Amino acid sequence: MNTENTEVTEQQIAELVRRFYENAAADDRLKAIFDGAIHDWDDHHRVVENFWSRTLLNTDRYQGSPYPIHTRLPLQIEHFDIWLAHFRQTAREVLPAEAAERAIARAEHMAESFKVGMFFDYNPARTSSCANPGD
C-alpha cells in the first residue's frame, strides 16, 4: 500500500482497475461472467477508470450509471461478496489508505444497492444480522 502520499492519482486508479480485473477475472467463480460480458478489455478498463476517476477525484470523465449494465449479467448474489473481496484487497494494495477506504465504501454501497435492486428477496437487514451471529 502506498502510505507516503495521501492523494490518489490517475495512475493509481489505472493500476487499481487493471490489477483488480486481473485477479477477479482469474477467479473461477467469476471468470465465466467476465468472459461472457467483456469483449474489449482495454475499453472496459477505460470506462471503469473513468468511473473511479469521477468517484475519487471528482472528474467528469464518467457519465451514466453502472447499474443497468450489471442487471443484464448472469450474476448470483454471492458474486458480489467475491467481487468485493478482490476489490478490497486490491484497493488496499494500490491506493493510499484514505482513498482505498473511500473506494471500498463506494464499492460496498454499490454492491448493496445492486443486490437490493436485482434480487427481490434480498433483505440487507437480515443479511447483516446473520453476518455477526453473536450480536
Side-chain angles (χ1 to χ4, degrees), residues 30-79:
L30 300 176
K31 184 174 178 16
I33 296 166
F34 290 118
D35 288 348
I38 301 171
H39 307 291
D40 181 341
W41 278 100
D42 288 335
D43 183 56
H44 185 71
H45 287 158
R46 198 169 18 262
V47 169
V48 177
E49 287 168 20
N50 289 344
F51 172 84
W52 287 109
S53 177
R54 181 188 77 183
T55 300
L56 297 173
L57 297 174
N58 295 317
T59 66
D60 62 355
R61 289 182 16 206
Y62 182 85
Q63 303 297 318
S65 170
Y67 178 76
I69 294 166
H70 288 84
T71 62
R72 296 189 296 256
L73 300 175
L75 295 170
Q76 301 298 315
I77 201 161
E78 61 269 13
H79 292 139

Side-chain angles (χ1 to χ4, degrees), residues 55-129:
T55 300
L56 297 173
L57 297 174
N58 295 317
T59 66
D60 62 355
R61 289 182 16 206
Y62 182 85
Q63 303 297 318
S65 170
Y67 178 76
I69 294 166
H70 288 84
T71 62
R72 296 189 296 256
L73 300 175
L75 295 170
Q76 301 298 315
I77 201 161
E78 61 269 13
H79 292 139
F80 289 95
D81 291 334
I82 299 164
W83 185 96
L84 281 170
H86 286 290
F87 187 83
R88 287 182 191 111
Q89 177 181 347
T90 308
R92 289 181 176 133
E93 289 172 357
V94 173
L95 300 178
E98 182 182 317
E101 294 311 311
R102 282 190 296 135
I104 290 166
R106 175 72 168 138
E108 290 172 344
H109 175 77
M110 287 175 55
E112 284 302 304
S113 297
F114 284 20
K115 287 190 277 189
V116 167
M118 294 170 69
F119 302 97
F120 300 109
D121 60 346
Y122 175 69
N123 181 343
R126 184 179 64 223
T127 303
S128 62
S129 65

